[in-house]
Amino acid sequence: MTIPAHYPIGTPGVAWGPAEVATWLARQNRHRSYREDVLSVVDALRARYEVVEYGQLDYPPESYPLLAIKSRPWRDDLPCVLVTGGVHGYETSGVHGALRFARQHASAYEGRANLVIAPCVSPWAYERIHRWNPQALDPNRSFRENSPAQESAALLRLVADFRERVLMHIDLHETTDTDESEFRPALAARDGIAYEPGEVPDGFYLVDDSENPQPAFQQAVIAAVAKVTHIAPADRNGQIIGSPVVAPGVIEYPMRKLGLCAGITSARFTTTTEVYPDSPRATPEQCIAAQVAAVCAAIDFALAHAG
């Protein structure tokens, strides 16, 4: 993995303005199809679930409908469970893990929970295999009131009516080599700060909410995923991506303070998954399967401990 000494856009130490964002945007190319990969799969589920369009992203000349899959019938006496993927469009297994869960496992929870699955929160970024939206904004730092990111604002509107009733929210992510080769250098350049290289962990890990830690819940998810793929060890400093490891494969972030997707509800149980698709010990199939295992284990634990 090659770490650039200087990001090719902007002036070191100077935050980007509109000209630099425009230069960055001109370099982004479409590599895959949201319509073919996501919308077609969701459309095939309409006979089994309610499919709602909770927003539309207008990035001329393109427009992207934002779809969520919901339990049908919706029962007010049941707890709500929220599954989100593709908040970062380049994190592929999050999108396809959410879709596979919907296709193959969601029916097992009929009559036990109301499910809401938003499989691809950032379709423009999904097509371009990128972390940001066209304004060079990270949706997963933008889940807050009056969000500047359309993707984040739309998801917040979706959950507004039931956010207090959500029991569990799992947000599906990846940590990749491009975090260090592209995205963190770009972030430093955008913000006009020095880039300090980090270490990409080899394996699956979870991010718990430091303001509402649920260690038993996190370990139940880790145990399920360990049957599918390996769990990331702590580095020589006892950390993963610069945060102390509080339990095997678990770190903590203040989710609401950072504007993270997993902090958008009042759920008791929340987690962010992180798989490592670039590991020589994992395949793309394992990464998707790990996401599905995490979702099922998270729901099972939450329902078993709902009282």
Side-chain angles (χ1 to χ4, degrees):
M1 181 170 58
T2 301
I3 303 299
H6 164 56
Y7 197 74
I9 298 173
T11 302
V14 179
W16 288 2
E20 288 79 14
V21 172
T23 299
W24 168 83
L25 181 58
R27 296 186 177 205
Q28 308 312 312
N29 297 308
R30 186 173 180 268
H31 298 284
R32 54 191 178 185
S33 170
Y34 172 66
R35 185 165 299 279
E36 293 177 7
D37 296 354
V38 179
L39 296 187
S40 64
V41 178
V42 174
D43 284 343
L45 295 170
R46 290 181 183 272
R48 296 163 52 192
Y49 305 102
E50 180 184 4
V51 175
V52 298
E53 182 173 331
Y54 66 90
Q56 181 167 295
L57 302 179
D58 291 316
Y59 294 134
E62 297 163 306
S63 181
Y64 299 91
L66 296 169
L67 300 186
I69 302 158
K70 298 180 68 175
S71 296
R72 187 173 62 205
W74 185 275
R75 288 176 45 182
D76 289 338
D77 60 318
L78 296 179
C80 300
V81 169
L82 178 61
V83 180
T84 48
V87 172
H88 290 144
Y90 73 106
E91 296 173 2
T92 305
S93 69
V95 175
H96 295 286
L99 291 170
R100 181 178 297 183
F101 170 76
R103 290 199 314 271
Q104 299 182 2
H105 300 275
S107 60
Y109 299 97
E110 184 176 345
R112 301 170 60 198
N114 296 314
L115 300 182
V116 181
I117 305 165
C120 190
V121 174
S122 297
W124 182 92
Y126 174 83
E127 291 195 332
R128 286 149 185 85
I129 314 181
H130 213 285
R131 185 179 181 90
W132 293 343
N133 73 7
Q135 284 80 45
L137 295 175
D138 184 341
N140 206 37
R141 296 298 185 274
S142 304
F143 287 96
R144 51 176 53 92
E145 189 175 355
N146 300 316
S147 175
Q150 293 184 48
E151 298 82 356
S152 308
L155 191 66
L156 287 168
R157 289 193 297 270
L158 172 68
V159 305
D161 290 341
F162 58 86
R163 66 180 303 274
E164 302 298 329
R165 296 178 50 214
V166 176
L167 174 65
M168 192 283 298
H169 178 191
I170 185 168
D171 190 31
L172 309 180
H173 284 255
E174 295 182 346
T175 299
T176 71
D177 285 348
T178 52
D179 284 13
E180 288 297 324
S181 64
E182 168 63 24
F183 299 125
R184 292 190 64 244
L187 174 63
R190 186 199 69 181
D191 294 349
I193 61 176
Y195 165 62
E196 298 182 3
E199 183 176 320
V200 178
D202 185 354
F204 180 97
Y205 65 98
L206 295 173
V207 182
D208 195 2
D209 186 358
S210 61
E211 297 174 338
N212 175 38
Q214 297 290 335
F217 169 67
Q218 308 298 331
Q219 285 306 301
V221 176
I222 288 289
V225 172
K227 299 174 183 178
V228 178
T229 192
H230 60 292
I231 305 304
D235 64 18
R236 59 186 174 275
N237 298 315
Q239 299 178 336
I240 291 176
I241 60 167
S243 294
V245 173
V246 299
V250 182
I251 62 174
E252 295 178 346
Y253 281 175
M255 291 182 175
R256 291 190 182 181
K257 181 179 179 180
L258 293 178
L260 303 183
C261 182
I264 64 175
T265 73
S266 299
R268 175 182 173 191
F269 301 107
T270 58
T271 196
T272 301
T273 68
E274 297 283 355
V275 303
Y276 179 41
D278 297 314
S279 173
R281 300 170 59 191
T283 66
E285 168 59 28
Q286 278 180 293
C287 290
I288 295 172
Q291 301 282 22
V292 174
V295 174
C296 292
I299 298 175
D300 290 342
F301 185 95
L303 293 179
H305 297 82

